[in-house]
Amino acid sequence: MVLVAVWPILVSIFISVAPAVLLVTASIYLWHLRWQLSHDRSWLLPLPPGSMGLPIVGETLHWLLQGCEFHSSRRRQHGHVFKTHLLGRPVVRVSGAALLPPLLLEETSRVGVSWPRSAHDMLGPHSLANSSGHTHRARRKVYARIFSQAALESYLPQIMKLVREAVTGWCARPGSVSVYPESKRLTLRIAAAVLLGSLPSQEELTDLFTNMEQLSENIFTLPIDIPGSGYRKGIRARDKLHQYLGKVIEARRQAGGCEDQPGALGILARSSKEQGMDMGVQELTEAAVELMFAAFATTASAATSLVLQLIKHPAVVAKLREELQTRALGAGALLRDISRLRYLDNVVKEVLRMLPPVSGGYRVALHTFELAGFQIPKGWSVLYSIRDTHNTSPIFQDPEVFNPDRFDEDQMESKNLRFHYLPFGDGVRRCVGKELAKLILKVFAIELVSVSHWELTTRTFPKMLLVPIVHPADGLQVRFFSSA
């Protein structure tokens, strides 16, 4: 009797749900069929293995939720070359030193630069990241002056001052410090001071931090321009940054020219004029946002990873302190003094090997080509992996072990690290600001081990997340104490 009474309800539910289930199933089937048929039929080679996920969104949600494990799990399942669908684009992901040279050295002949649309729109068409060919080469020459030895030497006193103030403030706090957010505040202050030649007001810094945070959190997001979307938030933050920096640049121009002003912005304006480019207000504004974003997000990530490894490895801290005592750096340390700290250099290299802030780089196939026995169709994005390449390189024994000594000159003498170690990328896209980033990390490490000690305030070490930049899930909660 009960079954007789329930049966009409079950039939009704089935009739209501069945069309939706069939529609979803058909949509998923047609989505995957579309990509199977999108290969270049003049090539006999198959597409790489992998899944294109759900219609429209692909595997973007899995990527955002799984972080580092997303790519690692698929590499273990499919190998060093696999396909997926991220941020609205079909993507082939590649890792391993043997497979990277065509992607890093053959720009314009095999691949071109192609960041996701969200990153392209937020950084702007005039940014170094989004330029290519002759324009990219010319802009790199202009940017290079910002990171010359003379320029780095001029930034060093300000960097040391700001780092010292930050670490002293952390030690004075009675409770724990959330290292990642605080590192971002520090790197933003450094980026603003280096760029402008002086520190903006506290109110301006607060606004810069809020908008840069919004930009960095949403730079890799689905390009859906609707109220409340990450894309809309990122674009709004970009516009506010452009408004502030545009006013600064315009005011400097009216006061006699940007090229006569201090800081990296003045060097950039002078360099562009000397190279015959003479960047306008919009170009300088996009350059300023790009430079601040790079210093803010990636350097803060590396600084947080540095603290994490120092907590985990007290023997490394002891060895660093011994080196610093031997060298006896003073308050007026010069660039050459810091460059002579070999063990410190090894520590920074090892941090960047284990936890590179940027997990990889985007390219686009300019025409169909072969890689590892698979065809990479024209127009598809190609994402090369830095992190997995480091983890699978035969040059690095026991890659899961933090071991700065692996970078000793006698250990590396017979090894060619190129394409095996690339925390700053390689080829024509190698990070132009890598020396400044390493200098900030070294000054930060020197200050930490010289004036403080610390303890983790959580029971376990945090999970590391991959998107948008490598960072700890809980921010890394640490209590700092003064060694004085």
Side-chain angles (χ1 to χ4, degrees):
M1 292 293 292
V2 174
L3 181 60
V4 172
V6 171
W7 182 251
I9 298 174
L10 295 176
V11 171
S12 177
I13 292 173
F14 177 79
I15 292 173
S16 301
V17 172
V21 172
L22 288 172
L23 180 62
V24 170
T25 303
S27 297
I28 294 175
Y29 172 77
L30 291 173
W31 172 256
H32 285 266
L33 181 63
R34 172 197 174 188
W35 296 113
Q36 286 300 321
L37 296 176
S38 71
H39 70 282
D40 189 330
R41 299 185 186 185
S42 66
W43 284 63
L44 298 178
L45 296 174
L47 290 171
S51 171
M52 304 306 279
L54 297 172
I56 310 300
V57 299
E59 293 194 297
T60 301
L61 298 179
H62 293 84
W63 177 56
L64 293 173
L65 292 172
Q66 290 182 273
C68 299
E69 184 57 25
F70 174 85
H71 292 304
S72 298
S73 63
R74 283 152 181 78
R75 175 177 54 78
R76 290 192 294 268
Q77 181 180 0
H78 302 300
H80 286 281
V81 181
F82 63 85
K83 69 177 182 291
T84 181
H85 194 280
L86 302 174
L87 303 175
R89 295 290 303 275
V91 176
V92 174
R93 189 172 185 274
V94 181
S95 60
L99 300 176
L100 297 189
L103 307 179
L104 297 173
L105 301 181
E106 297 184 32
E107 186 169 314
T108 71
S109 63
R110 184 175 299 203
V111 295
V113 63
S114 176
W115 291 98
R117 182 188 156 191
S118 56
H120 178 277
D121 292 350
M122 290 177 206
L123 293 178
H126 301 105
S127 64
L128 187 64
N130 287 323
S131 61
S132 59
H134 171 74
T135 302
H136 179 259
R137 291 192 295 273
R139 284 186 177 147
R140 278 189 73 90
K141 288 182 181 179
V142 171
Y143 278 57
R145 283 280 298 278
I146 303 174
F147 306 108
S148 67
Q149 289 291 101
L152 294 178
E153 194 76 68
S154 71
Y155 309 147
L156 183 56
Q158 185 75 287
I159 293 171
M160 294 177 69
K161 177 178 179 291
L162 293 173
V163 169
R164 186 174 299 115
E165 289 175 354
V167 175
T168 300
W170 296 356
C171 292
R173 293 190 191 180
S176 66
V177 171
S178 189
V179 176
Y180 182 53
E182 290 302 319
S183 293
K184 286 191 285 186
R185 288 186 173 86
L186 170 59
T187 54
L188 179 75
R189 289 168 67 85
I190 292 173
V194 165
L195 185 69
L196 303 177
S198 61
L199 207 59
S201 69
Q202 188 56 52
E203 181 180 357
E204 290 171 326
L205 281 170
T206 299
D207 288 341
L208 282 172
F209 181 84
T210 299
N211 291 313
M212 193 58 71
E213 184 90 309
Q214 280 289 323
L215 181 75
S216 64
E217 285 182 357
N218 296 294
I219 197 162
F220 295 119
T221 190
L222 283 169
I224 302 174
D225 191 10
I226 58 175
S229 68
Y231 180 82
R232 176 72 65 85
K233 292 176 182 177
I235 293 296
R236 187 180 295 120
R238 177 207 65 184
D239 291 343
K240 290 180 180 178
L241 289 167
H242 280 195
Q243 183 179 17
Y244 170 75
L245 291 165
K247 285 181 178 179
V248 171
I249 292 167
E250 191 59 53
R252 289 186 171 193
R253 286 200 155 195
Q254 292 179 3
C258 288
E259 61 270 16
D260 297 323
Q261 300 296 323
L265 193 58
I267 298 174
L268 185 65
R270 288 195 298 275
S271 181
S272 71
K273 182 168 284 189
E274 291 168 4
Q275 296 289 335
M277 293 186 69
D278 199 11
M279 298 167 72
V281 173
Q282 183 62 29
E283 290 176 294
L284 286 170
T285 300
E286 289 185 14
V289 170
E290 183 177 29
L291 291 167
M292 288 187 69
F293 166 74
F296 170 76
T298 59
T299 311
S301 168
T304 304
S305 298
L306 172 64
V307 174
L308 177 66
Q309 297 304 333
L310 293 181
I311 295 171
K312 288 183 175 182
H313 303 283
V316 171
V317 177
K319 197 167 179 179
L320 275 175
R321 286 182 174 141
E322 181 182 352
E323 181 177 57
L324 290 174
Q325 289 169 359
T326 302
R327 292 292 182 178
L329 291 179
L334 300 175
L335 206 59
R336 65 172 181 269
D337 300 323
I338 295 175
S339 67
R340 291 169 181 164
L341 299 170
R342 303 310 307 163
Y343 188 69
L344 173 62
D345 188 60
N346 290 351
V347 170
V348 169
K349 285 179 178 175
E350 181 69 344
V351 168
L352 295 173
R353 182 195 67 82
M354 287 197 75
L355 293 165
V358 179
S359 61
Y362 280 90
R363 301 290 185 268
V364 63
L366 298 177
H367 55 79
T368 302
F369 65 92
E370 182 271 337
L371 190 68
F374 302 106
Q375 66 159 283
I376 312 300
K378 177 182 178 180
W380 280 39
S381 292
V382 183
L383 173 60
Y384 74 88
S385 170
I386 293 173
R387 183 173 178 271
D388 276 3
T389 296
H390 287 180
N391 289 345
T392 58
S393 170
I395 284 181
F396 302 123
Q397 300 299 313
D398 302 318
E400 72 285 352
V401 175
F402 185 79
N403 176 25
D405 291 328
R406 73 170 78 244
F407 286 100
D408 280 348
E409 290 183 1
D410 59 340
Q411 296 226 27
M412 288 294 163
E413 190 174 10
S414 61
K415 298 176 182 177
N416 182 3
L417 280 177
R418 192 171 190 189
F419 305 117
H420 293 268
Y421 180 73
L422 60 163
F424 297 102
D426 206 321
V428 297
R429 296 280 166 182
R430 179 179 294 186
C431 176
V432 70
K434 64 187 181 70
E435 295 303 326
L436 176 59
K438 289 192 291 185
L439 178 61
I440 293 171
L441 291 174
K442 288 178 181 181
V443 171
F444 183 56
I446 290 169
E447 192 66 24
L448 280 175
V449 302
S450 297
V451 305
S452 68
H453 57 281
W454 46 79
E455 64 181 19
L456 188 71
T457 59
T458 53
R459 294 179 62 185
T460 59
F461 288 104
K463 177 184 177 182
M464 298 302 289
L465 303 178
L466 182 67
V467 182
I469 301 292
V470 173
H471 65 283
D474 70 350
L476 188 60
Q477 304 301 310
V478 179
R479 178 88 183 269
F480 290 88
F481 306 90
S482 175
S483 298

